[in-house]
Amino acid sequence: MALSTGRADSTARDRAAGADGARGRGRGKEPGPFRRMTGRHWYAWAMVAPVILVTALLVGWPLARGVYLSLTDATEANIGRTIGVNVIPSTYEFVWFDNYVAILTSGLFWEKLTWTIVWTVACVALHYGLGLGLALLLNRDVRFRSAYRLLLILPWAIPGFVSAFIWRYLYNSDFGVINAMLRAAGLGAVGWLDDPTTAKIAVIAVNVWMGVPFMMVAVLGGLQSIPGELYEAAEVDGATPWQRFRFITIPGLRTVSSTVVLLGTIWTFNMFPVIYLISGGGPGSSTEILVTYAFREAFTGVRDYSNSAAWGVIILLLLVVLAVVYRRSLRRQGEVW
């Protein structure tokens, strides 16, 4: 009987040791971080999978195709096409980085880049300055505040191409409303889109008119998120309106401001419809920005697909560098965005 009990204890110990070993081996083969993430959040991944797939098809494939074409000498003359029953094969070849070298060493690129930077800085500065001023006015308790908000948001609600056509008519030298008002005031008519300087002022004014409402709404939301107790405490301490604006309003809007300024910079840098539909890049090519010039390379005259693709890739890289530098500067200032 004692022997039988001893055998049972030994068997139990062996089973326990085997179980401990199995658990040890299980711990040694723990799933990786990707497997744990997908296993724990599988429902979220299932929900975003269609969006990722559509984005890859609509953005990823054209981007990859554009990078590929930028490394070739593809034009309208040597690209493959089908005419009736005749299939003409492609005859373009790889030139690797020759397109990029030709663009970056040309004076035309730096001329367009300079004007694009001036255009972007002027528009974004006016967007934010006017949007902040209007947001401060609408944040007060005034009569008909809702009506003012509705009227000020209309330029943003109107489609961009519709606004561009309306403003092109307003700028018309012979029949435009602006020149009609100038004549009624006893002043001479201005050829708004006939002179490089006035054409640049005209397109900046239109883009500011279209972009201020977005800045106003975003900044107004940021103003309403600042606790009112901070202003009350500052007023009790004897702070002037300028001090309250400087030490409470501006820091309270820092997160919102950093986001909308970056978005506004990207949108304005690539603002195609305003330039193309109002001035057409003219007179000459004085108001042409990088994105409109890239469009002309691909769709006017002898279509140079490779050169246009190279311009597009350079524009993308400039915006990526801008976003990275801007994000790092915010991190150095203590922002977590």
Side-chain angles (χ1 to χ4, degrees):
M1 190 68 178
L3 182 60
S4 176
T5 304
R7 288 176 180 173
D9 292 342
S10 176
T11 302
R13 284 193 299 271
D14 291 343
R15 289 177 178 175
D20 292 340
R23 283 195 293 268
R25 288 191 298 271
R27 285 194 297 269
K29 297 181 179 179
E30 291 183 355
F34 177 78
R35 189 173 179 182
R36 289 199 304 271
M37 181 176 61
T38 53
R40 184 181 306 171
H41 307 292
W42 66 269
Y43 184 77
W45 283 103
M47 292 296 100
V48 301
V51 178
I52 295 175
L53 179 62
V54 171
T55 302
L57 292 175
L58 297 181
V59 178
W61 166 246
L63 177 61
R65 178 65 175 174
V67 173
Y68 168 78
L69 288 176
S70 71
L71 301 175
T72 67
D73 60 353
T75 64
E76 186 180 16
N78 58 21
I79 199 167
R81 55 198 179 277
T82 301
I83 303 176
V85 295
N86 300 316
V87 179
I88 302 176
S90 300
T91 57
Y92 59 82
E93 299 176 349
F94 275 99
V95 296
W96 299 106
F97 298 102
D98 289 355
N99 292 323
Y100 295 97
V101 173
I103 292 172
L104 296 176
T105 56
S106 67
L108 179 64
F109 170 76
W110 299 105
E111 176 187 344
K112 300 304 177 189
L113 178 62
T114 301
W115 161 236
T116 303
I117 292 174
V118 172
W119 149 268
T120 303
V121 171
C123 289
V124 174
L126 290 171
H127 283 166
Y128 186 78
L130 295 175
L132 176 60
L134 292 173
L136 290 171
L137 292 175
L138 292 178
N139 196 41
R140 299 183 177 184
D141 189 13
V142 296
R143 295 182 62 185
F144 308 114
R145 182 170 59 177
S146 299
Y148 296 148
R149 289 180 180 178
L150 178 62
L151 292 174
L152 291 171
I153 205 67
L154 281 179
W156 189 40
I158 299 174
F161 70 93
V162 175
S163 299
F165 283 129
I166 292 173
W167 277 96
R168 185 176 177 87
Y169 173 74
L170 294 176
Y171 283 134
N172 187 276
S173 301
D174 299 322
F175 311 106
V177 175
I178 297 177
N179 278 342
M181 296 172 63
L182 291 175
R183 293 191 190 97
L187 303 174
V190 177
W192 293 102
L193 303 178
D194 301 329
D195 179 75
T197 301
T198 56
K200 290 178 179 180
I201 294 173
V203 293
I204 288 175
V206 175
N207 194 55
V208 169
W209 181 82
M210 294 171 57
V212 163
F214 168 76
M215 289 287 185
M216 179 193 68
V217 172
V219 174
L220 182 60
L223 287 174
Q224 294 178 347
S225 66
I226 300 175
E229 294 80 3
L230 296 177
Y231 292 101
E232 294 173 0
E235 191 172 0
V236 170
D237 291 340
T240 63
W242 166 249
Q243 289 174 329
R244 295 197 295 270
F245 175 77
R246 179 181 176 184
F247 295 107
I248 298 177
T249 303
I250 295 299
L253 291 176
R254 184 173 298 166
T255 302
V256 174
S257 299
S258 61
T259 303
V260 296
V261 167
L262 179 60
L263 290 175
T265 300
I266 294 173
W267 292 339
T268 305
F269 199 90
N270 288 324
M271 182 55 68
F272 176 83
V274 171
I275 301 292
Y276 185 77
L277 297 177
I278 292 181
S279 68
S285 62
S286 58
T287 58
E288 201 95 73
I289 59 176
L290 292 176
V291 67
T292 57
Y293 186 83
F295 172 83
R296 290 191 181 280
E297 284 287 289
F299 297 103
T300 59
V302 178
R303 302 178 177 182
D304 193 343
Y305 302 121
S306 59
N307 199 42
S308 176
W311 279 81
V313 173
I314 291 173
I315 293 170
L316 174 62
L317 293 177
L318 287 173
L319 290 174
V320 169
V321 170
L322 171 67
V324 170
V325 172
Y326 187 71
R327 186 168 177 267
R328 287 186 177 180
S329 67
L330 292 179
R331 284 185 176 274
R332 284 197 297 268
Q333 295 173 12
E335 297 289 339
V336 296
W337 181 84

